[in-house]
Amino acid sequence: MERFRNILLYLDPAAGKCAAYERAVRFCKRSGAKLRMVAVVPEVSVYLRYPQFSYPSLEQTLTAEARDGLATLAAEAREAGVDVSTRVREGKPFLEVAREALSQGSDLVMLTAEEDRAFGGSTSTSM
């Protein structure tokens, strides 16, 4: 268990405690690893940035909600004795998770597998 020291957990904080969150907290408690939780807010369409369609607070609202959700989950993980930090990124989830893992030197990336119902397989983020 000592080989994993930095765990990255990608999750949707609006979903609350999911199986991946529970497993990551248990794993970090047993191994003493640090947990980094990341949420990714999708980029607002370029069309929504035109003045006539502008939603100036949309990005800020989505980011604030993600930050608050992560803070709640992080507080629970800290109560369980886990060293945890959080980050909200903006962009495409599969790219931002990879960037976060590389920038933090993550040994392991955990996430809840998402099913792409339209094509019957996993999403690009899960893959």
Side-chain angles (χ1 to χ4, degrees):
M1 289 272 187
E2 289 183 23
R3 68 185 214 190
F4 296 118
R5 304 305 302 159
N6 296 303
I7 311 301
L8 177 65
L9 173 63
Y10 164 67
L11 48 80
D12 175 6
K17 286 194 244 180
C18 60
Y21 169 82
E22 298 288 345
R23 286 186 183 125
V25 169
R26 265 194 326 266
F27 184 81
C28 289
K29 275 177 66 172
R30 279 187 266 166
S31 68
K34 294 179 183 176
L35 179 62
R36 173 77 159 189
M37 295 191 304
V38 65
V40 179
V41 175
E43 292 178 320
V44 174
S45 170
V46 69
Y47 299 109
L48 294 177
R49 295 177 193 221
Y50 288 121
Q52 64 268 32
F53 301 111
S54 181
Y55 294 96
S57 66
L58 180 60
E59 287 178 72
Q60 294 150 350
T61 300
L62 292 173
T63 301
E65 287 176 356
R67 191 174 290 120
D68 292 345
L70 284 179
T72 300
L73 293 171
E76 290 181 28
R78 283 187 194 100
E79 286 178 19
V82 175
D83 182 2
V84 62
S85 61
T86 62
R87 172 114 190 248
V88 176
R89 296 182 73 111
E90 181 184 324
K92 295 182 183 195
F94 75 96
L95 287 174
E96 296 308 316
V97 169
R99 288 179 178 137
E100 186 71 17
L102 290 171
S103 72
Q104 294 299 309
S106 299
D107 304 313
L108 177 67
V109 176
M110 299 176 76
L111 62 131
T112 300
E114 301 166 334
E115 184 179 324
D116 185 356
R117 293 187 193 338
F119 297 106
S122 296
T123 65
S124 60
T125 305
S126 297
M127 290 171 48

